[in-house]
Amino acid sequence: MKYIQVAIKRAQASQCRYRLGAVVAVGGRVVSSATNKKRNNPAIDFTNATFHAEEAALRRLRSSKGGVIYVARIDSKGKAALARPCMRCQELLSSAGITKAYYTIDDETVGYLALTS
């Protein structure tokens, strides 16, 4: 899956402890990509310290109806790790019109979620 590879490259650019990248494709074309980002100091508000990569990618879009998202996480050794979108992100993606989510599980395995609105 070429878009998972793009998401892995985006994850490598993340400045966060857990490095994630997301790519949104509509009609076979990449329309947005992002990494997870620090939003504020975790000492101030730990539960809202970052924007998730999925959320950051959606913020860059005008329309994502019928889109597919690819999410990747890399560990400290540069290996792919579990990147299944959390429930909050699943709800955001679904309400934005994203229909499918693919995510890394490890270097050789990609998971799939069917998102319903």
Side-chain angles (χ1 to χ4, degrees):
M1 300 194 125
K2 68 180 178 179
Y3 297 123
I4 280 290
Q5 294 305 317
V6 175
I8 289 171
K9 285 208 179 286
R10 292 297 291 151
Q12 292 168 343
S14 174
Q15 300 293 312
C16 295
R17 179 177 174 197
Y18 298 104
R19 299 171 6 186
L20 283 103
V23 172
V24 177
V26 177
R29 190 172 144 240
V30 172
V31 293
S32 179
S33 67
T35 65
N36 54 332
K37 299 176 182 178
K38 291 182 182 177
R39 175 160 58 182
N40 62 4
N41 186 333
I44 296 169
D45 183 5
F46 178 75
T47 58
N48 295 302
T50 63
F51 286 114
H52 291 193
E54 303 94 324
E55 180 181 14
L58 287 178
R59 289 171 154 251
R60 296 176 174 211
L61 286 174
R62 291 185 188 175
S63 173
S64 56
K65 188 170 181 155
V68 179
I69 194 162
Y70 301 83
V71 187
R73 175 179 161 204
I74 56 171
D75 63 18
S76 60
K77 296 176 182 146
K79 303 274 187 190
L82 182 62
R84 182 184 172 108
C86 69
M87 287 306 295
R88 183 176 65 88
C89 285
Q90 288 181 41
E91 291 171 11
L92 282 170
L93 295 168
S94 183
S95 66
I98 301 291
T99 58
K100 299 174 187 172
Y102 293 93
Y103 57 93
T104 57
I105 294 175
D106 57 35
D107 271 341
E108 299 175 8
T109 314
V110 174
Y112 168 76
L113 283 172
L115 302 168
T116 57
S117 52

